[in-house]
Amino acid sequence: MSDLSTRLIHHPYRPPEGFDAVAPGVHKASTVLFKDVQALRTQEWADKSGYTYGLHGTPTTFTLEERIATIEGGQYCVLAPSGLSALTLVDMSFLRQGDEVLLPDNAYGPGKAFAAGELAHWGITHRYYDPLDPADLVSRLSPATRLVWIEAPGSITLEFPDIPALVAAVRQANDGRAPERRILTALDNTWGAGIAFRPFDLGVDISMQALTKYPSGGADVLMGSVVTRDHALHHQLLMCHMRLGLGVSGNDTELVLRGLASMPLRYQTQDATTRALATWMQDQPGVVRVLHPALAGSPGHEAWAREATAAACLFSAVFDERFSQSQIDAFCDRLRLFRPGWSWAGPISLCAPYNVPAIRTRPWAHKGGLVRFAIGLESADDLRADLAQALVALHT
Ligand SMILES: *Cc1c(COP(=O)(O)O)cnc(C)c1O
């Protein structure tokens, strides 16, 4: 080995064992080196007994997977490059041509778009059920149903469903079904983040999260996770994940690991600020309704109070119908601390107006426009003052 290039690549130095630090190391790989050809031929990729290829996991991704599974009370986890790709991974892993998937009417929009686009093209139908009415779900279950999505609460209108009742309806329909035709329940647990409630204790088969939101907390990284307790389900997810080639980068994984330690504190702080502002907002002139599962009278409040011990950083305000959409847009633009933007659970507060009738199939009780607020880490007093000055301007 006299050539410099060869010596630079095949460097003999190995750092000493025993380095211990607060943060786990960041391991990055496409290629993973095997000790010999026999190991290359026989190394198993589908469990965590070894390493085979960057797409199949590194010490960094295995660490995050273990932590997310533990936080959610599950057993197995697989990471995906975004929350949306984690959601579509669940669809693609378990749905086949001729199957039907049921979505709550208030589901995350891009998940609906995937059902109406790719799933429909592949001969997989979807229908919507009323998340607040388990009897409505029962009436829509059919021999073709293979997957039921649950979102707690709905993305924009924040209705909190009775998860055990929805799961019980599906379990009853599964009585007598062949195991491979069993209807699965998948929860989008982005809002709960494993903190507000324990998804597997409520009976769901699969819990998916956008780690983009609370676990990261920085508004600077995209990632998703799918957690299960059942090994067969995990294996099916893993096979589909492998065939799709859904990798996540070591640096992105490290950002999420870095965010995790402060997640319970952030969740708690943002919860308190959000409840204070939502409660205050209820009394403001021109606001006819505030939607937040912890507020008495908000749809699904009783189910939230039974199952959950915390609430995330979202609330929505419905304005009086006398305000036009352009007046509501101007109200949002007048806010200084709240900025228009998607995603949430980061440091900065966000606002976004929605036209609710356009995004759901069921009748909507209100005629006025809706604004969803996502509360960041700013002080409640400053955010309240910001809302107050924009509300004053709305009325003048
Ligand atoms: C943000 C979000 C997602 C998607 O996450 P991305 O990482 O942005 O793709 C899925 N479900 C819910 C409820 C979300 O809020």
Side-chain angles (χ1 to χ4, degrees):
M1 276 207 287
S2 57
D3 180 75
L4 177 62
S5 302
T6 304
R7 279 188 285 129
L8 286 173
I9 295 164
H10 292 266
H11 45 85
Y13 178 75
R14 294 285 174 275
E17 294 287 320
F19 177 74
D20 204 8
V22 176
V26 184
H27 296 269
K28 300 193 276 190
S30 52
T31 304
V32 170
L33 301 173
F34 298 95
K35 82 175 192 317
D36 56 25
V37 172
Q38 171 73 359
L40 179 144
R41 286 215 178 92
T42 57
Q43 183 65 60
E44 180 52 56
W45 65 271
D47 61 31
K48 290 180 166 50
S49 61
Y51 306 100
T52 51
Y53 190 60
L55 278 176
H56 305 159
T58 65
T60 312
T61 62
F62 286 176
T63 300
L64 181 58
E65 287 173 351
E66 186 281 324
R67 291 199 190 170
I68 298 296
T70 300
I71 290 167
E72 290 198 275
Q75 193 70 37
Y76 309 100
C77 176
V78 54
L79 300 175
S82 67
L84 182 55
S85 65
L87 187 162
T88 60
L89 172 65
V90 173
D91 285 341
M92 287 188 278
S93 296
F94 299 109
L95 295 170
R96 301 289 174 263
Q97 190 174 29
D99 287 348
E100 183 160 273
V101 54
L102 298 183
L103 307 174
D105 201 34
N106 54 8
Y108 179 66
K112 294 179 174 184
F114 185 71
E118 279 65 24
L119 293 184
H121 295 154
W122 298 335
I124 297 159
T125 56
H126 67 283
R127 288 202 290 163
Y128 294 105
Y129 69 93
D130 179 352
L132 294 179
D133 183 4
D136 184 70
L137 172 62
V138 169
S139 76
R140 288 167 206 277
L141 294 168
S142 80
T145 314
R146 176 70 176 127
L147 178 65
V148 173
W149 275 100
I150 299 172
E151 201 173 319
S155 268
I156 312 300
T157 41
L158 302 170
E159 300 93 341
F160 201 94
D162 183 340
I163 300 173
L166 296 176
V167 168
V170 171
R171 289 220 172 124
Q172 200 162 9
N174 277 336
D175 268 355
R177 279 207 183 203
E180 69 280 5
R181 292 298 311 160
R182 209 163 62 79
I183 305 167
L184 301 172
T185 49
L187 172 76
D188 183 332
N189 195 29
T190 302
W191 185 94
I195 290 184
F197 56 89
R198 310 269 301 162
F200 293 98
D201 293 351
L202 302 183
V204 301
D205 295 307
I206 299 157
S207 180
M208 162 256 143
Q209 263 199 75
L211 305 180
T212 307
K213 308 283 169 51
Y214 272 111
S216 139
D220 56 359
V221 63
L222 292 152
M223 201 172 292
S225 59
V226 183
V227 171
T228 53
R229 274 186 178 173
D230 181 288
H231 186 262
L233 295 182
H234 174 67
H235 192 259
Q236 205 165 331
L237 285 158
L238 212 54
M239 291 299 291
C240 185
H241 183 268
M242 177 196 70
R243 291 187 290 249
L244 288 168
L246 299 179
V248 297
S249 90
N251 290 91
D252 286 352
T253 306
E254 190 258 348
L255 279 180
V256 180
L257 282 167
R258 204 165 194 272
L260 277 187
S262 64
M263 178 168 73
L265 292 175
R266 288 186 278 107
Y267 201 100
Q268 211 172 29
T269 301
Q270 284 167 286
D271 179 355
T273 310
T274 305
R275 284 196 223 196
L277 293 176
T279 305
W280 175 84
M281 198 72 171
Q282 281 184 310
D283 297 328
Q284 302 313 303
V287 175
V288 299
R289 193 78 197 266
V290 174
L291 302 165
H292 181 298
L295 293 185
S298 203
H301 167 70
E302 293 74 17
W304 173 84
R306 261 197 316 276
E307 312 301 352
T309 55
C313 60
L314 300 176
F315 74 89
S316 291
V318 181
F319 286 84
D320 190 285
E321 60 186 282
R322 73 177 183 276
F323 299 115
S324 66
Q325 189 61 60
S326 59
Q327 283 175 297
I328 292 172
D329 291 357
F331 160 81
C332 290
D333 282 334
R334 231 172 259 124
L335 293 164
R336 289 289 156 257
L337 298 178
F338 290 85
R339 303 292 301 276
W342 309 123
S343 201
W344 40 272
I348 190 167
S349 292
L350 304 170
C351 63
Y354 286 89
N355 177 14
V356 177
I359 57 171
R360 54 196 277 154
T361 62
R362 309 183 65 78
W364 170 238
H366 304 286
K367 292 211 171 61
L370 175 148
V371 176
R372 187 185 73 178
F373 299 94
I375 305 306
L377 289 165
E378 305 96 329
S379 91
D381 287 344
D382 288 342
L383 292 174
R384 193 183 299 108
D386 193 26
L387 290 168
Q389 64 79 21
L391 282 168
V392 167
L394 179 66
H395 289 285
T396 52

